[in-house]
Amino acid sequence: MLYRTEDKGKEYGSFIRSGKLKWFVRETGSSDARLGPRGTIVFLHGAPTQSFSYRVVMAQMADAGFHCYAPDWIGFGFSDKPQPGYGFNYTEEEFHSALDKLLETLGIESPFFLVVQGFLVGSYGLTWALKNSERVSKLAILNSPLIVGSKIPGLFTQLRIPLLGEFTCQNAILAERFIEGGSQYVLKSEKADVYRLPYLASSGPGFALLETAKKINFKDTLGRIASGFSSGSWDKPILLAWGLSDKYLRQPEAEEFQKGNPSNVTLKLLEGAGHMPQEDWPEKVVDALKYFL
C-alpha cells in the first residue's frame, strides 16, 4: 500500500530547510508585480491533517492573483517529525518559533493574509496571530475551536490517556476517520491515501500528534483565543467562514465568537461543508476569501 501511495499528495510542494528543520511547503502564484499579485496568503492546517487540504483553494486563489503558501506543520504531513526530546518537544512556543523561522526563510513580507483551520496546531496558528498582530493584515478562520466551551473531539481525549494514547496514535487511518467524522462526506480513496500516508510511512507522525495533544492546555489556549480576538483587543478584519455540517464544532460557537467582536468579525456560513470546508467544498471557501480579501 505504501508503495502505491508514496508519491501522492505533493501538489505545488517542495522541501524547505529552515534552521535544523525541514518543512514541506506548498506554493502557488507568484510575487512578481508584473503578474499582478494581490497579496500573500499563508494557510495553516489543523491536526491531525496536513496542508494537502488546501490544494484546491490555493490553486484557485493563485488564479485570482494571490501568492499562496501552505506548510505542513512540523510533525505533520511531509515535514520533519523529530523524536520528542531531540530538537523539538511539540510545545506551543516551539511551534511558534519554528513558524517564525520558516516565514523568514521563505522571505514572506509582513503584513500578509492568514488563513487558519482546525484543532491543536490550528489553535497555535491563532495564538501566533495574537502574538504577531502587526504581521497580519486580515485573518480568515475556518472551523476552529474559538471559545472556552468548545468541545474537544474524542480523538484528542484518547491521546491524552496513558497507554491508550500510544495505541491510538499509531492507527494509520486516524486522520481520514477524523476528517470523515467531522463531515457528511466520505473521502474518495485517492484523497484518503494522502492523509493516511504519513502514518503508514513511520511511527513519527503518530508520536508527534500524541505529544502535541498531551502538551496543549485546551482551556488556557481557548481562553486566550476568545479574549484575544474580542472587541478592544483585536482590530483587524476577521472572516469566520464556517462549515455548517461540522460535527465537532457547531454554529452557535461561531456566533458566540462573532458577538465578541461584531465590528471586526464577519460570519459567513457555508452550507454543506463540514469541519474542513477547504476539503469538503473548496469553491465556497474561495468565494468567501475573494470577497473578503
Side-chain angles (χ1 to χ4, degrees):
M1 181 181 293
L2 179 60
Y3 175 78
R4 296 199 305 270
T5 62
E6 59 187 352
D7 292 326
K8 291 185 177 181
K10 296 183 179 179
E11 293 91 336
Y12 319 120
S14 61
F15 291 97
I16 305 293
R17 176 70 63 176
S18 176
K20 296 181 179 180
L21 298 170
K22 184 172 66 176
W23 294 70
F24 184 78
V25 182
R26 299 175 198 273
E27 179 182 6
T28 61
S30 171
S31 60
D32 191 335
R34 293 170 300 178
L35 301 179
R38 297 175 58 187
T40 298
I41 309 175
V42 176
F43 296 88
L44 298 178
H45 69 85
T49 63
Q50 52 176 289
S51 64
F52 177 73
S53 64
Y54 286 116
R55 67 201 178 280
V56 177
V57 173
M58 290 181 68
Q60 294 188 19
M61 292 306 290
D63 290 341
F66 292 92
H67 189 193
C68 305
Y69 293 94
D72 286 348
W73 282 104
I74 295 300
F76 295 82
F78 299 108
S79 289
D80 273 352
K81 303 160 187 71
Q83 183 179 347
Y86 292 85
F88 200 83
N89 286 317
Y90 300 93
T91 64
E92 178 179 7
E93 293 76 14
E94 288 172 308
F95 279 115
H96 285 178
S97 177
L99 179 59
D100 284 332
K101 292 177 182 177
L102 176 65
L103 295 175
E104 181 180 356
T105 299
L106 293 173
I108 296 177
E109 297 182 358
S110 300
F112 55 84
F113 305 124
L114 180 64
V115 180
V116 177
Q117 186 272 329
F119 288 91
L120 300 185
V121 285
S123 294
Y124 290 162
L126 293 177
T127 56
W128 180 91
L130 290 174
K131 290 171 59 177
N132 298 274
S133 60
E134 74 284 352
R135 302 180 67 179
V136 178
S137 56
K138 292 183 178 182
L139 172 65
I141 304 173
L142 311 180
N143 297 55
S144 302
L146 298 171
I147 61 175
V148 176
S150 292
K151 292 184 177 180
I152 307 304
L155 170 62
F156 305 126
T157 301
Q158 291 178 20
L159 288 169
R160 294 158 70 92
I161 299 175
L163 298 182
L164 179 59
E166 282 77 2
F167 175 79
T168 301
C169 77
Q170 294 305 314
N171 183 349
I173 63 172
L174 68 84
E176 64 193 85
R177 290 294 179 262
F178 182 82
I179 294 169
E180 292 175 340
S183 172
Q184 58 184 345
Y185 303 108
V186 175
L187 287 173
K188 292 183 178 179
S189 59
E190 61 268 21
K191 297 178 183 179
D193 283 344
V194 178
Y195 288 111
R196 185 188 309 132
L197 177 57
Y199 299 91
L200 285 172
S202 78
S203 62
F207 285 118
L209 175 63
L210 177 69
E211 287 298 312
T212 305
K214 288 166 60 177
K215 296 288 175 59
I216 192 171
N217 182 327
F218 284 111
K219 184 176 180 179
D220 173 72
T221 301
L222 295 179
R224 285 186 282 126
I225 289 171
S227 62
F229 289 111
S230 63
S231 297
S233 297
W234 181 272
D235 60 1
K236 306 288 182 67
I238 296 177
L239 169 67
L240 191 54
W242 201 263
L244 283 176
S245 297
D246 190 342
K247 297 179 182 179
Y248 301 129
L249 300 168
R250 303 297 185 176
Q251 179 181 342
E253 298 183 38
E255 293 172 342
E256 181 176 338
F257 180 80
Q258 194 270 339
K259 289 177 181 177
N261 193 346
S263 299
N264 293 293
V265 179
T266 299
L267 177 58
K268 174 67 174 178
L269 302 178
L270 306 179
E271 294 277 355
H275 179 62
M276 288 175 57
Q278 70 270 33
E279 181 67 80
D280 286 348
W281 215 312
E283 295 80 8
K284 290 190 176 183
V285 173
V286 169
D287 287 344
L289 290 176
K290 285 181 179 178
Y291 181 81
F292 177 64
L293 301 179

